[in-house]
Amino acid sequence: MVKKREIAVSVNGARYAIEVRINDTLLDVLRDGLGLTGTKEGCAAGDCGACTVLLGGKAVNACLVLAVEADGAGVMTVEGLAQGEELDPVQQGFVQEGAVQCGFCTPGMLMSAKGLLRENPCPTETEVRRAIAGNLCRCTGYVRIVRAIMSASASAVSGHDLRGER
Amino acid sequence: MQKYLPFRDYFAPRTQEEALQLVREQGPAGRVLAGGTDLLIAMREKGLHAECLINIKRIADLGGIGSLPDGGLRIGATTTLYEVETSAAVRRASSVLSEAAGTIGSVQIRNLGTIGGNVANASPAADTTPALLVLDAEMEILSASGTRIVAAERFFTGPGKTVMEQGEILAAIRIPPSAPGTRTAYIKFGPRQAMDIAVVGVAVALKLDGDGSCRDARVALGAVAPTPMRARRAEVALIGAIDERSVEKAAEEACGEAKPISDVRASGSYRRHLVGILLKRAVKLALAREHAAA
Ligand SMILES: Cc1cc2nc3c(=O)[nH]c(=O)nc-3n(C[C@H](O)[C@H](O)[C@H](O)COP(=O)(O)OP(=O)(O)OC[C@H]3O[C@@H](n4cnc5c(N)ncnc54)[C@H](O)[C@@H]3O)c2cc1C
Ligand code: FES
Ligand code: FES
């Protein structure tokens, strides 16, 4: 018998008291327990970033966090970005720039972008690239993703040249 | 790969005393869990067996960055690599450590992974350990009988092996204040710019006199021996006036001192070649920097 624990977590602003197996990952519980299947599993080894969520406001790989470790913490997943019908600026940026192809990497990319912009609203292109270094995309070649994140940032608003910087 | 993590118990102690008691009670079946970025993967992919995980991240005394009476820095073991990378205090006092932490994995890995985990895991290719060697760092090790301090250089005994014994926990890393005029650099070489383990890592710390000559030098190498290592003959070669000849000599010495193996990432001879190249680059980079320590 696998031991279970009750944990209290806030996910996308909603509070939950849920029973989890001690060896469930946060990713398992988000997807299978709470039905939040936006967060993806690619590698289960920290390499691909498809499982990226914000834990306590910081981008982390949900495949490397035990659900019991999240007890008492706040989690934000891709489902928490939009406010009703209104997309988050990072989502808006991805739509505008056509930064989505198959879409498997997109939730993780969006959360890495969100994590970056929370701390650094006005990043350079180099900083954007560093922020998504742990997110693999097999389709887009990253150029449009970088543009999308730049366009969602305050760098765009302040007239920063999106295409010029190397 | 096995996705299911086969352990049967989990604890999240709030105090050091509770944690030490758990570590003692569980014995070899228990494992300390910090960021989990090495441990969970070793359990899933490498068949590492642990019956019980003891999460130490809720213990306030094991986290945080503070100063020591001698002006040095005390970095709690559970401080994340991201905090080490970005903390103003660490950048000021030991920028080479921030620099090394910033080369690890991805933002997500650095937000989870801790400096204590990087050290305790004792991978020969870990990025923070060469930086800790050139900083003359000390490991603060906690057990039921109290605290003992071990110099970074004596802490590592082999791949995945340290002087820590059953029942001990790494509590913090102490960085002594650096002498005025110290310049440092860490260079990591790998095929990719991010998300790659070092093929070779080189850290240097040069203590310069007012006239620019080198009074004392530290050179440490990663991924070229069973443990991170000081290259002492290279250090000697750097003392005095630093010019092309002395740097060339230091590079030669470091190549000779390295004891690299061949593996999937690189051949031993390529690693040896890289040691010389990276040492020269690291010295040049360090010299081009202003001394940052207060
Ligand atoms: C995708 C990916 C990329 C990576 N890239 C790099 C890289 O570029 N460079 C690099 O150096 N590393 C890299 N790593 C390895 C890892 O992220 C680091 O070594 C990290 O610092 C480990 O810290 P942790 O807190 O996650 O340790 P954990 O996994 O929690 O623990 C590691 C080991 O140390 C023990 N331990 C942890 N803390 C303590 C303590 N305080 N006292 C006693 N024992 C303790 C644990 O029991 C375990 O055996 C990477 C890992 C992944 C998954
Ligand atoms: S599924 Fe977590 S990083 Fe790939
Ligand atoms: S859009 Fe297909 S992986 Fe990125």
Side-chain angles (χ1 to χ4, degrees):
Chain A
M1 257 298 284
V2 179
K3 275 203 182 164
K4 295 189 176 171
R5 276 304 143 75
E6 184 165 298
I7 62 166
V9 280
S10 140
V11 181
N12 301 330
R15 285 162 195 276
Y16 297 89
I18 36 175
E19 191 168 76
V20 301
R21 286 181 300 216
I22 56 169
N23 41 17
D24 280 336
T25 62
L26 177 60
L27 181 59
D28 297 331
V29 168
L30 290 171
R31 288 181 55 85
D32 304 337
L34 300 179
L36 295 170
T37 53
T39 308
K40 305 302 180 203
E41 178 172 283
C43 65
D47 289 313
C48 75
C51 65
T52 304
V53 300
L54 302 189
L55 178 65
K58 302 267 184 198
V60 300
N61 310 94
C63 70
L64 295 180
V65 178
L66 298 174
V68 282
E69 291 181 87
D71 187 17
V75 179
M76 185 180 186
T77 70
V78 69
E79 288 89 347
L81 282 176
Q83 300 299 312
E85 291 292 292
E86 196 175 329
L87 295 182
D88 186 272
V90 287
Q91 293 172 305
Q92 199 68 56
F94 272 62
V95 173
Q96 257 163 32
E97 296 290 336
V100 180
Q101 288 187 25
C102 81
F104 194 81
C105 72
T106 310
M109 286 286 183
L110 288 168
M111 298 319 289
S112 285
K114 188 70 183 172
L116 168 71
L117 296 180
R118 279 171 57 102
E119 281 184 19
N120 179 1
C122 205
T124 64
E125 183 180 323
T126 309
E127 287 167 339
V128 169
R129 287 183 179 274
R130 222 172 121 71
I132 59 167
N135 295 80
L136 290 179
C137 174
R138 299 285 75 192
C139 305
T140 66
Y142 303 100
V143 172
R144 285 167 185 268
I145 292 176
V146 173
R147 267 187 217 157
I149 300 170
M150 290 300 282
S151 77
S153 71
S155 313
V157 181
S158 65
H160 189 96
D161 182 357
L162 296 183
R163 318 233 155 135
E165 196 206 342
R166 263 287 89 86
Chain B
M1 189 199 64
Q2 174 181 29
K3 198 179 147 247
Y4 173 73
L5 290 159
F7 60 91
R8 62 168 173 79
D9 220 343
Y10 166 87
F11 296 94
R14 298 268 171 182
T15 65
Q16 293 183 352
E17 292 68 35
E18 276 177 74
L20 286 170
Q21 192 182 339
L22 282 164
V23 168
R24 229 177 22 252
E25 277 169 11
Q26 297 294 327
R31 274 274 172 173
V32 167
L33 170 70
T37 60
D38 277 316
L39 183 61
L40 298 188
I41 289 175
M43 291 174 73
R44 272 192 199 130
E45 297 185 356
K46 297 172 197 156
L48 178 89
H49 183 68
E51 287 278 302
C52 163
L53 299 188
I54 303 160
N55 175 7
I56 57 167
K57 290 191 300 294
R58 292 177 195 263
I59 303 170
D61 294 340
L62 296 183
I65 298 166
S67 46
L68 292 166
D70 66 355
L73 212 57
R74 181 180 184 274
I75 306 177
T78 61
T79 307
T80 65
L81 296 165
Y82 182 81
E83 291 172 87
V84 172
E85 175 193 4
T86 55
S87 146
V90 180
R91 279 172 175 257
R92 214 180 311 112
S94 44
S95 59
V96 68
L97 183 59
S98 311
E99 188 176 19
T103 69
I104 292 178
S106 59
V107 172
Q108 296 95 312
I109 294 291
R110 296 195 291 278
N111 277 333
L112 287 174
T114 65
I115 185 159
N118 198 235
V119 168
N121 196 58
S123 160
D127 285 301
T128 65
T129 54
L132 292 173
L133 288 188
V134 300
L135 291 167
D136 294 326
E138 294 172 328
M139 309 302 175
E140 192 180 308
I141 304 170
L142 199 65
S143 72
S145 50
T147 297
R148 65 179 177 127
I149 308 287
V150 176
E153 208 193 345
R154 277 199 292 276
F155 181 81
F156 303 99
T157 55
K161 294 202 167 68
T162 74
V163 298
M164 279 200 295
E165 284 163 18
Q166 191 54 245
E168 291 186 318
I169 293 176
L170 181 64
I173 290 149
R174 298 183 179 186
I175 317 268
S178 69
T182 304
R183 318 263 176 110
T184 60
Y186 176 70
I187 298 188
K188 166 183 187 169
F189 185 86
R192 295 178 65 205
Q193 278 185 30
M195 295 296 284
D196 229 330
I197 303 297
V199 169
V200 174
V202 176
V204 299
L206 306 170
K207 292 175 195 170
L208 301 185
D209 279 330
D211 64 359
S213 75
C214 180
R215 184 159 27 93
D216 199 5
R218 292 279 183 281
V219 175
L221 312 176
V224 295
T227 65
M229 61 172 280
R230 288 265 298 274
R232 285 210 152 68
R233 296 207 305 269
E235 293 175 357
V236 171
L238 287 169
I239 289 173
I242 296 196
D243 53 23
E244 216 166 296
R245 265 189 46 213
S246 68
V247 177
E248 197 61 52
K249 171 86 172 127
E252 248 171 60
E253 294 285 13
C255 289
E257 288 174 274
K259 305 180 250 325
I261 55 161
S262 298
D263 64 11
V264 287
R265 291 180 207 283
S267 68
S269 58
Y270 183 47
R271 282 204 166 92
R272 197 179 289 282
H273 170 73
L274 282 173
V275 165
I277 306 281
L278 296 187
L279 175 71
K280 286 189 264 186
R281 284 189 198 163
V283 169
K284 201 167 155 191
L285 182 61
L287 290 176
R289 283 179 174 160
E290 292 297 320
H291 174 59

